[in-house]
Amino acid sequence: MSEIINLCQGHYSLTVYDERACSNTQNFEISSPPPIVFDIQKSDIMCNDSCLGKITLSIPNRDIYGVEWNNGDTSLELKNLCSGAYFVLVKDTFGCLSRKDITINQSYKPTIQLDVMPAGCKGECIGSAKLVNNNQKNKILWS
């Protein structure tokens, strides 16, 4: 038998004998493929009711990897994403897979709670409105 298969990671040796009973031994190692390494950058959605999220992969040695997203796309960047869960599978030339899950989050519009007082009954301009739940970081524009 000139081939041995289904070897796990480890150290092995092969000894070959000829017809005169002379031998030669060769040691060898079966190693595991290097780990699949990649980075993910994401951009969450800044305001609700929009689908402007983005996910970008950075993969060193891109030529030895294949990429597939849960939506079937095979590019390194997904754009115009709505909020939700996404995942990517990266496959190397050995058939090893690495999966990463990514969530595109959505921030929401500021809530507005007003205390409104009516104008005067004789056309007087004494009405008012007060923003009750103001976050001091919010910019306020009255019109």
Side-chain angles (χ1 to χ4, degrees), residues 104-130:
I104 295 294
N105 298 306
Q106 177 174 338
S107 60
Y108 293 92
K109 293 178 185 175
T111 57
I112 297 175
Q113 181 181 352
L114 290 175
D115 278 346
V116 178
M117 299 301 292
C121 57
K122 297 181 183 171
E124 302 160 309
C125 297
I126 59 170
S128 66
K130 178 182 178 185

Side-chain angles (χ1 to χ4, degrees), residues 23-35:
S23 67
N24 190 8
T25 299
Q26 174 75 48
N27 294 319
F28 64 97
E29 180 181 359
I30 300 292
S31 60
S32 293

Side-chain angles (χ1 to χ4, degrees), residues 84-113:
Y86 298 86
F87 69 83
V88 64
L89 293 173
V90 177
K91 183 178 181 179
D92 67 14
T93 55
F94 300 102
C96 299
L97 289 173
S98 180
R99 174 184 167 145
K100 288 197 180 177
D101 294 280
I102 307 101
T103 300
I104 295 294
N105 298 306
Q106 177 174 338
S107 60
Y108 293 92
K109 293 178 185 175
T111 57
I112 297 175
Q113 181 181 352

Side-chain angles (χ1 to χ4, degrees), residues 32-47:
S32 293
I36 298 172
V37 177
F38 59 99
D39 292 319
I40 295 177
Q41 294 82 38
K42 71 170 188 158
S43 298
D44 289 323
I45 299 167
M46 298 309 291
C47 291

Side-chain angles (χ1 to χ4, degrees), residues 44-90:
D44 289 323
I45 299 167
M46 298 309 291
C47 291
N48 59 345
D49 302 327
S50 69
C51 290
L52 298 175
K54 182 170 86 170
I55 305 171
T56 304
L57 295 182
S58 299
I59 302 177
N61 301 320
R62 169 70 169 107
D63 54 326
I64 65 169
Y65 295 109
V67 172
E68 186 171 350
W69 295 92
N70 57 309
N71 66 358
D73 197 311
T74 57
S75 67
L76 292 177
E77 184 173 79
L78 294 182
K79 295 180 182 179
N80 300 321
L81 299 176
C82 296
S83 63
Y86 298 86
F87 69 83
V88 64
L89 293 173
V90 177

